[in-house]
Amino acid sequence: MSSVTLPKDRYLLKTAEFAKAIGSSPKTVRNWRLAGLGPRPTRLSASDVRYTPEDIEAWVRAVKKAGSVQAVPFCGAK
């Protein structure tokens, strides 16, 4: 996860878009979310979860600093 390229034309990224940007799978991202890890999710409905680029970038910085995804609980705006 050395560099992350986020779509510039989207404000809210779907789980699959976020997963692709970090080189992971949507299932892994969902598992992190259920465990309270990853960037802070934004729920548009019960089944529609999105992420802001700013929250993703804050989370990536926190993971790099901590050295582990498991060491970074939800990160980003409240």
Side-chain angles (χ1 to χ4, degrees):
M1 190 184 335
S2 59
S3 67
V4 176
T5 303
L6 300 173
K8 299 298 181 197
D9 61 338
R10 300 286 304 273
Y11 179 68
L12 294 173
L13 280 69
K14 295 179 180 182
T15 298
E17 293 169 320
F18 164 50
K20 182 178 179 182
I22 63 168
S24 191
S25 74
K27 182 177 180 179
T28 296
V29 171
R30 284 189 293 273
N31 287 339
W32 288 341
R33 188 172 60 239
L34 291 172
L37 304 170
R40 186 166 302 283
T42 299
R43 288 196 177 274
L44 300 181
S45 70
S47 62
D48 192 359
V49 178
R50 306 286 177 106
Y51 299 91
T52 67
E54 295 81 13
D55 287 348
I56 293 170
E57 290 165 355
W59 173 77
V60 168
R61 285 191 303 275
V63 168
K64 284 181 180 180
K65 184 176 180 180
S68 166
V69 169
Q70 287 74 25
V72 182
F74 280 150
C75 181
K78 291 185 178 184

